Amino acid sequence: MVETGHHQHPPAPAAAGYPPVPSMAVNRGPTWAPAEQLHHLQYCIHSNPAWHETVVLAFQQYIVMLGTTVLLANTLVPPMGGDAGDKARVIQTILFMSGINTLLQTLIGTRLPTVMGVSFAYVLPVLSIIRDYNNGQFDSEKLRFRHTMRTVQGSLIISSFVNIIIGYGQAWGNLIRIFTPIIVVPVVSVASLGLFLRGFPLLANCVEIGLPMLILLIISQQYVKHFIPRISMILERYALLVCLALIWAFAAILTVSGAYNNVPVATKQSCRTDRAFLISSAPWIRVPYPFQWGTPIFRASHVFGMFGSAIVASAESTGVFFAASRLAGATAPPAHVVSRSVGLQGIGVLLQGIFGSITGNTASVENVGLLGLTRIGSRRVVQENLAPSLLLYRLQSLEAYTVYYLELLLLLEYLLYSLLTPIR
């Protein structure tokens, strides 16, 4: 009798003398939409927005990285004796190497959507080098700048082997096996709060620009989308670019109208849009090349100071890797992957020393905070961020002091999220 119901036929018995043939189909499990993997996500690590959205989101990641880069260059280059042209070339070198290191990490490192930016852990050793050469032993400031940069190069080259050894030697992987959420969250929080001491005081230097930027970004990204649902998606993804354009136009209007003509020099330097001279000093196209400042100088006293910075930068990157995996909807990286990425970070520091960067690299905290703000965890967005880093040399020298004020909101947003959402 033929069955007409929905019952399945039992499998046919195997032929006598022959074992059953295993099925060739591989059960990969159900495929879930990004929203079902993690409720706050719109695109997870393997999901890709449309190409035009990807380009805009990548440029937004670049703008956030640009703020930290310009902040570091403004902190270190003038005490070295460098002028505006030297500062522009340092910024170009940093961003070029950040693009290379980000490409390496997203392809053969953790493969998470993390941007490899500058590390403030190297600021103190670099300031120590600057202090040693600040005794009037050079005939000109240009010579002092180049000699200082050559010493920084040598120290970065030697200190990079710390990351390479502890990374590829699996020592760092054995250490992070004891990392739990109660350890990871404070590490990321401390790494985030460390930037407040350098970025937030700049807000007080120009309150009429920085405070409206913060207020506008908070209102547009967190509240306006609830009252105007039609533009909620645009504000949620692109609020940073919209607010930056509006505040930059506001600062340009104040500059042109003469609002800062009769103010102190410090206020002009912080608020006017024509005081950095980076755009006029930067070449349109310039490709950094190895040992561009001269032959590296190796001094033991400076190298040992960089060793500690290399370990601190590794700890920062480790916390950021765990945070990025959570915000991108990926599984937490295992110990051997993090250890491999730390070793790759050491190779990046080695390249930065060879090409003449002013500091080492680490996973960017503010760019991971942007993942939480935009709810876009796509790896392709971060990879396309390389195009501005590697090609748009003129844009690397924007006099965008207002970018500093973005980091306060980004770090605060991520800090709150990391404390309220335990990393599983």
Side-chain angles (χ1 to χ4, degrees), residues 58 61-62 65 69 94-118 321 341 344-345 347-349 351-352 361-364 367-368 378-390:
Q61 291 277 355
Y62 168 77
M65 180 178 64
T69 304
I94 291 175
L95 290 177
F96 182 84
M97 295 311 303
S98 294
I100 297 297
N101 292 328
T102 301
L103 181 64
L104 292 175
Q105 284 291 347
T106 55
L107 290 180
I108 59 177
T110 59
R111 307 193 71 228
L112 291 169
T114 52
V115 176
M116 301 303 292
V118 295
F321 290 151
S341 301
L344 192 61
Q345 180 179 336
I347 294 178
V349 176
L351 293 176
Q352 286 182 298
N361 70 83
T362 187
S364 174
N367 285 90
V368 172
S378 174
R379 181 171 54 225
R380 178 175 295 179
V381 171
V382 173
Q383 289 176 335
E384 293 199 11
N385 167 49
L386 304 177
S389 299
L390 298 177

Side-chain angles (χ1 to χ4, degrees), residues 307-372:
F307 284 168
S309 300
I311 297 176
V312 172
S314 301
E316 290 178 356
S317 296
T318 301
V320 173
F321 290 151
F322 280 97
S325 64
R326 175 64 178 172
L327 293 175
T331 57
H336 72 277
V337 172
V338 177
S339 187
R340 179 185 65 200
S341 301
V342 169
L344 192 61
Q345 180 179 336
I347 294 178
V349 176
L350 176 63
L351 293 176
Q352 286 182 298
I354 292 175
F355 279 84
S357 179
I358 202 172
T359 182
N361 70 83
T362 187
S364 174
V365 179
E366 56 271 17
N367 285 90
V368 172
L370 188 59
L371 297 181

Side-chain angles (χ1 to χ4, degrees), residues 86-152:
D86 296 326
K87 187 189 300 183
R89 286 186 287 273
V90 167
I91 292 173
Q92 291 171 339
T93 303
I94 291 175
L95 290 177
F96 182 84
M97 295 311 303
S98 294
I100 297 297
N101 292 328
T102 301
L103 181 64
L104 292 175
Q105 284 291 347
T106 55
L107 290 180
I108 59 177
T110 59
R111 307 193 71 228
L112 291 169
T114 52
V115 176
M116 301 303 292
V118 295
S119 174
F120 281 86
Y122 292 86
V123 170
L124 290 180
V126 173
L127 290 177
S128 176
I129 296 174
I130 295 173
R131 194 176 300 111
D132 288 346
Y133 293 139
N134 199 19
N135 53 6
Q137 56 182 322
F138 300 97
D139 297 333
S140 65
E141 290 294 285
K142 180 67 69 174
L143 291 177
R144 184 168 72 91
F145 170 76
R146 286 189 169 272
H147 196 85
T148 305
M149 286 299 300
R150 291 166 57 193
T151 306
V152 172

Side-chain angles (χ1 to χ4, degrees), residues 173-183:
N174 295 330
L175 177 64
I176 67 170
R177 293 181 191 277
I178 62 174
F179 273 31
T180 63
I182 199 64
I183 296 176

